[in-house]
Amino acid sequence: MKNQTTITEFILLGLSTDPWMQIFLFLVFLIIYMTTLVGNVLIMLVIKADSHLHNPMYFFLFHLSFVDICYSSVTVPKMLVNFLAEHKTISVHGCISQMFFFILTAGTEVFILSAMAYDRYVAICHPLRYMQIMSKRICVQLVSGAWTVGIIYALLNMGLALKLHFCGPNQIFHFSCELPHLLQLSCTETFTNEMVLLTSAVILGAASFLLTLVSYIPIIATILRIRSAQGRRKAFSTCSSHLIVVGFLYLAAFSQYTKSSSVSSTVLEEMFSIQYSILTPMLNPIIYSLKNKEVKTAVAKLLRTFKG
């Protein structure tokens, strides 16, 4: 180990090496990032400004939007800079820091989605006791619990990552510093890192997914008992949107974080990463908020206030 060179920075090769394609990708992802920021900030402003939206459902939407802004901002700004930069480098500690905040926000997001599923379960299956069960204290505890799980998950994996030694090569065939790619470049043994990553990803992923699934089973059973066909369609539309996004998010992230570090990067893997780390934060405001009649009314009211 004494004769080996210590790597101090990595090269992020990104999605393409073609200069014109990089400019095109820069514009595409800049639009996606700006849409993510504007959409989520707008949702947060609307929920804060409109007293009709001060209830548990929108409390969780507010925090989901905040997490989505953080989640997207961990990787996309550096990705945009690298599209235009000649030297697409990031320091080792900067790479590990990016990995830490990525895991933290991703872990927090999935458990906030689980809390939202539980909120819908109480609203649909126990409507008369909804405000009693989903008190402000319970809502704060659920969001705080989501952040706590995310922090523990990130600290656990970052602590082990800090012990890794990198002596070359230093090229990451990806647009961000995700832990599986760091493990591929380590000159030291990564078995413990892989086992901790696999175990923590499986436990946390399975726990959050099962919480969402268990919440939706009685919801679907209740919806099936609705006599109005229009009411059933509306309810199923809301549920299916939520479940589809959660399903794609879990499937893509699970495939990335449970594979062996010896498996090389593929186009499909990069598409999965784009889906769960870049597209999901952009789509969440549309799926969970902008399709909601109350939110659209509040947005229109807020825009009229600004114009006035």
Side-chain angles (χ1 to χ4, degrees):
M1 187 69 71
K2 291 181 180 178
N3 294 328
Q4 291 178 340
T5 303
T6 298
I7 296 298
T8 59
E9 63 182 18
F10 295 118
I11 300 173
L12 294 170
L13 297 181
L15 300 174
S16 175
T17 57
D18 180 78
W20 290 107
M21 179 57 70
Q22 289 185 34
I23 294 174
F24 172 75
L25 291 173
F26 170 82
L27 294 174
V28 170
F29 285 103
L30 177 63
I31 292 172
I32 291 174
Y33 184 56
M34 294 307 297
T35 303
T36 301
L37 293 183
V38 172
N40 284 292
V41 168
L42 182 60
I43 293 303
M44 294 174 68
L45 289 174
V46 165
I47 292 173
K48 276 292 185 183
D50 197 318
S51 59
H52 295 94
L53 303 182
H54 292 175
N55 60 53
M57 174 182 174
Y58 296 106
F59 175 82
F60 291 120
L61 283 175
F62 179 91
H63 285 277
L64 179 67
S65 292
F66 175 73
V67 173
D68 277 333
I69 291 172
C70 299
Y71 188 27
S72 182
S73 298
V74 170
T75 56
V76 178
K78 180 63 176 176
M79 178 186 186
L80 292 174
V81 170
N82 283 344
F83 278 136
L84 302 180
E86 182 178 353
H87 301 288
K88 309 176 191 302
T89 60
I90 183 171
S91 68
V92 170
H93 288 103
C95 199
I96 293 176
S97 296
Q98 187 185 74
M99 177 272 293
F100 169 80
F101 286 108
F102 182 83
I103 293 178
L104 189 160
T105 51
T108 302
E109 168 132 342
V110 295
F111 277 95
I112 286 183
L113 290 174
S114 298
M116 292 172 66
Y118 176 70
D119 173 71
R120 290 300 83 206
Y121 158 72
V122 176
I124 293 174
C125 300
H126 303 283
L128 299 180
R129 300 177 55 211
Y130 177 63
M131 294 307 298
Q132 178 185 351
I133 297 175
M134 299 303 296
S135 63
K136 184 176 181 180
R137 180 176 64 87
I138 293 297
C139 292
V140 171
Q141 287 177 347
L142 288 172
V143 171
S144 300
W147 279 102
T148 301
V149 171
I151 290 170
I152 293 173
Y153 182 33
L155 284 174
L156 182 64
N157 284 284
M158 187 191 73
L160 292 172
L162 288 173
K163 298 179 181 180
L164 298 176
H165 180 78
F166 302 97
C167 56
N170 68 334
Q171 293 181 331
I172 297 178
F173 293 89
H174 204 55
F175 56 84
S176 65
C177 293
E178 295 191 38
L179 185 52
H181 300 98
L182 287 180
L183 297 182
Q184 293 177 28
L185 299 179
S186 174
C187 297
T188 49
E189 179 59 51
T190 62
F191 178 77
T192 302
N193 301 73
E194 290 180 34
M195 288 300 99
V196 170
L197 176 61
L198 175 62
T199 304
S200 58
V202 169
I203 292 175
L204 294 183
S208 59
F209 183 75
L210 285 175
L211 286 171
T212 302
L213 187 62
V214 168
S215 296
Y216 265 100
I217 289 174
I219 288 175
I220 293 173
T222 302
I223 291 172
L224 290 173
R225 293 196 294 267
I226 298 175
R227 295 182 179 181
S228 168
Q230 183 178 359
R232 284 198 302 271
R233 282 196 301 269
K234 183 178 179 181
F236 270 123
S237 175
T238 303
C239 294
S240 62
S241 297
H242 187 180
L243 288 175
I244 288 171
V245 171
V246 169
F248 276 120
L249 173 64
Y250 288 171
L251 177 63
F254 187 82
S255 66
Q256 172 78 320
Y257 280 80
T258 56
K259 71 176 181 64
S260 170
S261 64
S262 62
V263 178
S264 61
S265 178
T266 63
V267 174
L268 182 61
E269 180 186 325
E270 290 184 339
M271 293 302 295
F272 276 158
S273 294
I274 291 171
Q275 189 273 318
Y276 66 72
S277 65
I278 299 176
L279 295 183
T280 294
M282 180 188 71
L283 294 175
N284 277 344
I286 300 171
I287 293 170
Y288 298 114
S289 304
L290 298 181
K291 288 177 65 177
N292 186 295
K293 185 178 179 180
E294 289 180 319
V295 174
K296 287 193 288 187
T297 302
V299 169
K301 181 180 177 181
L302 183 65
L303 293 176
R304 286 197 300 268
T305 302
F306 282 134
K307 288 181 181 179

